[in-house]
Amino acid sequence: MKNTLARLPLVKALQSLSKTSAPGTKFLYGVMAGICLFLFTLPWVPRTQDAMVAKFHLRSASFFQWAALQLIPSMYNFGNEIWISYQPLTAAVLEGKEPLSGGAFHGWVNHHPLRLISFSVHRKNFSTGTYYVYLRSGYRGRNFYSTFILKGNPQGLRLERLP
Amino acid sequence: MKSRENPSLLNIKVFRLAAAFWLAGWYCKITFYYEYLWSTAVRYPLEYSFFPFVLQDAAISQTVYLLPVAALIIFMTEDPRAYLSASVVMLVSSLLMSWHMNTHNDATFVVSFWVAVWLFWLAANLKRAEAEFKLHIVVLAQCLCAMIFLGGFMGKLTPEYWHGDVFYHTHIIENNLWWAARLKQTFNAEQLQGVAMVFSRAVIGMEGLLVLSPFLPSRFVCRFAPLCFSLIMFTNTWRIFSVLGCLMGMLLACLLLENSKKNA
């Protein structure tokens, strides 16, 4: 058993850490271990979930906090939905209890649900008028909502988060 | 056959192979980025006060997107300083693109950032040839691969993925690729939900396996993971090469190193 463990690449590498003097090696293992520990807490620690949703919804307490979280890998995380409407939508619509009125858009998105606006060659579609943008991210029974107003004008688009 | 290569030349080969894939991934969506950064982002700039002003500026994202071209210098010289400079350029570019308003959504840049960190560490130690160092080149790459997929795996441990709801919408209903169109023609909504559930669980399983990378034999990981990436590209779109290309290159470079160890 001990021999089998010793043959595992990571175990072998960690055992030989003292033998290498390559700068940064221990630091790299340490940083990756820290990020993995953080990720392991995701399903069980609400604060980790809150932090990740704040990242996806661009609403972290500060840009620096978001910038740090942004480097934590999170491809295709959470169940994310986006609604874009000319009029404010009710909670019943967002929860699927009432149908979506005509003209409003609803879609599922992999991660970073605002990407339909912020990362799209179709931004010009929003260049006139005011839109209400709603995000829902679901994770293990918890639902997280954010609301934005998107104002379009010929000079560009302006996004504001509503409390 | 015994390897007669200078060890530092082997490190250079490893660096070059990984960097070539990194650059190919970075620029494989150049037609999209040309339209998006040089037209859409200029004509319809998006302002959101959460981001610092400089990280909303279209000119910054354009410049940073082009910066890694400078890394091509590594294919013309064996000077270690060029490798260090190239890796710094790749590191800083991917970091800024990950933080920029226009490009933060694209996972390309976060994954590229981590591979650039590995390249920077390799460049800083380019002259080392001891067996322990070679071991760390490969195991750090395996750990990096595991960390990237751990992020995806943990975020999918939720009913929305376990039951296939997300992939049902994003990959089948809202997808116009040929295979999704074929599925929609062949199956009804309920059957499609089932297909999405199987697909979703297969993805979770594959990511779970990749998370175990540091505990699996290196040569197996360096072959299996690029195969998985190819499968992901086939079932999604080739454009996902922008995200996975750098990981693929890093692991193939490690396979080159492993093969050289075997031949030595």
Side-chain angles (χ1 to χ4, degrees), chain A residues 10-81:
Chain A
L10 182 60
V11 175
K12 237 163 56 176
L14 293 180
Q15 281 174 344
S16 78
L17 257 185
S18 55
K19 290 180 203 160
T20 184
S21 54
T25 310
K26 287 175 191 166
F27 177 74
L28 263 184
Y29 280 112
V31 167
M32 285 198 265
I35 290 176
C36 289
L37 276 177
F38 175 83
L39 287 169
F40 274 121
T41 66
L42 185 62
W44 299 282
V45 181
R47 282 187 71 176
T48 310
Q49 297 164 9
D50 295 343
M52 292 305 266
V53 166
K55 173 177 94 158
F56 298 138
H57 290 201
L58 305 181
R59 63 173 202 206
S60 299
S62 70
F63 177 79
F64 296 102
Q65 200 179 86
W66 177 86
L69 288 166
Q70 175 68 355
L71 299 178
I72 294 176
S74 51
M75 285 188 288
Y76 288 85
N77 269 216
F78 295 30
N80 302 302
E81 291 172 87

Side-chain angles (χ1 to χ4, degrees), chain A residues 8-14 16-17 19-25 28-29 31-33 35-37 39-44 54 57-63 66-68 70-80 105-124 127 136-143 148 150 153-161, chain B residues 29 32-33 35-36 40-52 55 94-95 97-107 109-111 113-114 117-118 121 124-125 128 130 132-133 135-137 139-161 165-167 169-171 174 207 211 213-218 236 240 243-244 247:
Chain A
L8 299 176
L10 182 60
V11 175
K12 237 163 56 176
L14 293 180
S16 78
L17 257 185
K19 290 180 203 160
T20 184
S21 54
T25 310
L28 263 184
Y29 280 112
V31 167
M32 285 198 265
I35 290 176
C36 289
L37 276 177
L39 287 169
F40 274 121
T41 66
L42 185 62
W44 299 282
H57 290 201
L58 305 181
R59 63 173 202 206
S60 299
S62 70
F63 177 79
W66 177 86
Q70 175 68 355
L71 299 178
I72 294 176
S74 51
M75 285 188 288
Y76 288 85
N77 269 216
F78 295 30
N80 302 302
F105 169 84
H106 168 246
W108 286 69
V109 197
N110 52 18
H111 46 262
H112 285 309
L114 276 170
R115 65 182 293 140
L116 291 186
I117 295 159
S118 66
F119 188 59
S120 166
V121 289
H122 303 300
R123 267 190 201 171
K124 59 177 174 253
S127 61
R136 181 195 77 90
S137 290
Y139 188 72
R140 300 177 76 83
R142 293 182 78 199
N143 284 304
F148 295 83
L150 179 67
N153 65 63
Q155 284 78 46
L157 289 70
R158 187 185 170 89
L159 192 67
E160 287 167 23
R161 191 168 70 83
Chain B
K29 293 193 296 197
F32 164 78
Y33 272 110
E35 183 185 354
Y36 175 58
T40 305
V42 175
R43 292 172 64 191
Y44 307 101
L46 177 63
E47 187 190 331
Y48 180 36
S49 58
F50 179 76
F51 286 83
L55 292 174
S94 50
L95 193 61
M97 292 298 260
S98 299
W99 288 341
H100 198 285
M101 174 78 206
N102 286 336
T103 50
H104 72 275
N105 297 272
D106 193 342
F109 304 115
V110 173
V111 179
F113 166 77
W114 284 109
V117 168
W118 179 83
W121 169 83
N125 296 288
R128 291 178 187 274
E130 69 268 21
E132 286 80 18
F133 178 64
L135 175 70
H136 290 303
I137 293 179
V139 177
L140 275 172
Q142 287 176 255
C143 289
L144 215 148
C145 178
M147 183 186 77
I148 299 287
F149 285 96
L150 181 66
F153 178 76
M154 298 312 272
K156 288 187 191 68
L157 297 183
T158 179
E160 286 91 341
Y161 273 97
D165 297 335
V166 177
F167 283 135
H169 289 94
T170 60
H171 281 58
E174 296 164 16
E207 285 191 332
V211 168
S213 293
F215 304 101
L216 300 173
S218 301
N236 277 269
I240 212 165
V243 179
L244 300 173
L247 283 176

Side-chain angles (χ1 to χ4, degrees), chain B residues 62 129 177:
Chain B
Q62 292 166 356
L177 287 177

Side-chain angles (χ1 to χ4, degrees), chain A residues 132-148:
Chain A
Y132 292 85
V133 181
Y134 299 87
L135 309 179
R136 181 195 77 90
S137 290
Y139 188 72
R140 300 177 76 83
R142 293 182 78 199
N143 284 304
F144 308 85
Y145 290 93
S146 292
T147 309
F148 295 83

Side-chain angles (χ1 to χ4, degrees), chain B residues 12-258:
Chain B
I12 282 172
K13 274 188 182 178
V14 168
F15 190 104
R16 281 180 175 172
L17 182 58
F21 272 79
W22 192 100
L23 289 166
W26 184 278
Y27 289 116
C28 76
K29 293 193 296 197
I30 195 161
T31 51
F32 164 78
Y33 272 110
Y34 180 70
E35 183 185 354
Y36 175 58
L37 292 180
W38 273 268
S39 175
T40 305
V42 175
R43 292 172 64 191
Y44 307 101
L46 177 63
E47 187 190 331
Y48 180 36
S49 58
F50 179 76
F51 286 83
F53 174 72
V54 286
L55 292 174
Q56 298 186 52
D57 190 342
I60 298 285
S61 50
Q62 292 166 356
T63 309
V64 177
Y65 184 66
L66 293 177
L67 271 182
V69 169
L72 288 171
I73 193 171
I74 60 160
F75 298 103
M76 297 162 213
T77 177
E78 290 173 3
D79 184 344
R81 287 172 302 180
Y83 289 79
L84 199 58
S85 309
S87 64
V88 169
V89 167
M90 294 157 101
L91 192 67
V92 172
S93 307
S94 50
L95 193 61
L96 291 176
M97 292 298 260
S98 299
W99 288 341
H100 198 285
M101 174 78 206
N102 286 336
T103 50
H104 72 275
N105 297 272
D106 193 342
T108 298
F109 304 115
V110 173
V111 179
S112 294
F113 166 77
W114 284 109
V115 176
V117 168
W118 179 83
L119 283 169
F120 174 72
W121 169 83
L122 178 60
N125 296 288
L126 207 61
K127 288 179 181 170
R128 291 178 187 274
E130 69 268 21
E132 286 80 18
F133 178 64
K134 287 181 185 170
L135 175 70
H136 290 303
I137 293 179
V138 178
V139 177
L140 275 172
Q142 287 176 255
C143 289
L144 215 148
C145 178
M147 183 186 77
I148 299 287
F149 285 96
L150 181 66
F153 178 76
M154 298 312 272
K156 288 187 191 68
L157 297 183
T158 179
E160 286 91 341
Y161 273 97
W162 189 247
H163 300 312
D165 297 335
V166 177
F167 283 135
Y168 173 72
H169 289 94
T170 60
H171 281 58
I172 297 178
I173 299 300
E174 296 164 16
N175 187 352
N176 296 320
L177 287 177
W178 64 270
W179 61 267
R182 192 76 182 265
L183 281 176
K184 282 183 269 193
Q185 283 169 359
T186 314
F187 299 111
N188 62 35
E190 199 179 325
Q191 290 168 321
L192 286 174
Q193 284 272 14
V195 171
M197 189 178 73
V198 171
F199 177 71
S200 198
R201 290 182 185 182
V203 170
I204 294 170
M206 189 162 69
E207 285 191 332
L209 200 57
L210 290 168
V211 168
L212 298 175
S213 293
F215 304 101
L216 300 173
S218 301
R219 292 170 64 78
F220 169 75
V221 171
C222 295
R223 286 182 172 139
F224 175 74
L227 267 178
C228 288
F229 303 158
S230 306
L231 191 66
I232 294 171
M233 278 188 273
F234 181 74
T235 55
N236 277 269
T237 157
W238 65 267
R239 285 167 184 266
I240 212 165
F241 180 77
S242 73
V243 179
L244 300 173
C246 56
L247 283 176
M248 191 184 264
M250 179 181 68
L251 292 169
L252 290 175
C254 289
L255 185 63
L256 178 80
L257 192 64
E258 285 290 305

